[in-house]
Amino acid sequence: QVTLRESGPALVKPTQTLTLTCTFSGFSLSTSGMCVSWVRQPPGKALEWLALIDWDDDKYYSTSLKTRLTISKDSSKNQVVLTMTNMDPVDTATYYCARTYGSGLKDYWGQGTLVTVSS
Amino acid sequence: QSALTQPPSASGSPGQSVTISCTGTSSDVGGYNYVSWYQQHPGKAPKLMIYEVSKRPSGVPDRFSGSKSGNTASLTVSGLQAEDESDYYCCSYAGNNNYVFGTGTKVTVL
């Protein structure tokens, strides 16, 4: 059974760095072709792809956010971590992690974690 | 990378069909057969409905189908049911290891 769960702070202040952890089970990020993505969704708005890390530790970022994002993995702990620097109120959103394959399909998602950026 | 364009809303009566379009460019939708579709009910995580333009994951009813022509992909829901009322998002590979989602479509079952 594949599950993913996001964890991190519910509230961050402007200019702070956000660190989110995706803890997963039911698959191995060491398996060829396996990836994990981060996707966010501001309240009432559309989904936005943020970053992806693959089984070979290759990392890919949204062009518009790449200077602020870092994705990493700890396969032994079945975790993927996303950091986003210089948080702003417009970054208020529900952040999801999802199991992903090379074609971009995301077949299993976490329940999401709402992050509010406010002073 | 600009979001793919979807109509804000679509509707149909139970039993009817509804088709949602997802328009991009030759750099994303038109350039790759890597379009996926997601259903999202309020307050819930997205659910994969279609991948690689027209493939359906196990467990997704065959009422859901996908296609692509040029820079526009489409999701068709046939035999609409009340539980199909939801938001739907397309997503495409956009080259250079980037992905882009659509603007989303709210489907209403009348």
Side-chain angles (χ1 to χ4, degrees), chain B residues 4-73:
Chain B
L4 307 175
T5 301
Q6 298 180 232
S9 62
S11 62
S13 299
Q16 290 187 330
S17 295
V18 65
T19 297
I20 304 165
S21 61
C22 169
T23 301
T25 69
S26 58
S27 297
D28 37 62
V29 175
Y32 310 93
N33 288 324
Y34 291 151
V35 177
S36 50
W37 288 90
Y38 301 86
Q39 177 190 65
Q40 187 181 34
H41 287 115
K44 301 295 187 181
K47 175 187 175 183
L48 177 67
M49 304 303 285
I50 295 287
Y51 67 99
E52 293 173 14
V53 176
S54 60
K55 297 178 182 178
R56 206 169 39 249
S58 173
V60 172
D62 59 6
R63 305 184 290 102
F64 290 86
S65 62
S67 63
K68 191 185 84 167
S69 178
N71 297 337
T72 299

Side-chain angles (χ1 to χ4, degrees), chain A:
Chain A
Q1 179 189 5
V2 173
T3 65
L4 301 98
R5 185 183 76 251
E6 306 88 352
S7 58
L11 179 66
V12 298
K13 297 185 187 311
T15 75
Q16 287 187 335
T17 294
L18 171 68
T19 299
L20 295 173
T21 300
C22 175
T23 303
F24 58 87
S25 64
F27 67 97
S28 172
L29 198 41
S30 300
T31 300
S32 179
M34 201 64 67
C35 314
V36 170
S37 292
W38 284 93
V39 174
R40 72 177 179 179
Q41 185 173 37
K45 296 189 177 181
L47 300 168
E48 178 183 19
W49 177 78
L50 299 178
L52 178 150
I53 190 165
D54 70 15
W55 76 100
D56 207 25
D57 208 33
D58 290 319
K59 301 157 187 177
Y60 307 107
Y61 300 100
S62 162
T63 303
S64 59
L65 291 168
K66 67 181 305 180
T67 61
R68 299 174 53 205
L69 296 173
T70 302
I71 192 170
S72 62
K73 68 181 175 74
D74 185 334
S75 296
S76 64
K77 292 183 179 179
N78 282 353
Q79 291 182 332
V80 172
V81 175
L82 181 76
T83 63
M84 180 179 290
T85 61
N86 195 24
M87 293 292 286
D88 182 272
V90 300
D91 296 313
T92 293
T94 296
Y95 288 76
Y96 296 98
C97 61
R99 187 176 80 164
T100 303
Y101 289 89
S103 67
L105 74 92
K106 302 162 189 55
D107 61 347
Y108 287 92
W109 295 65
Q111 84 282 3
T113 185
L114 175 62
V115 178
T116 300
V117 184
S118 174
S119 54

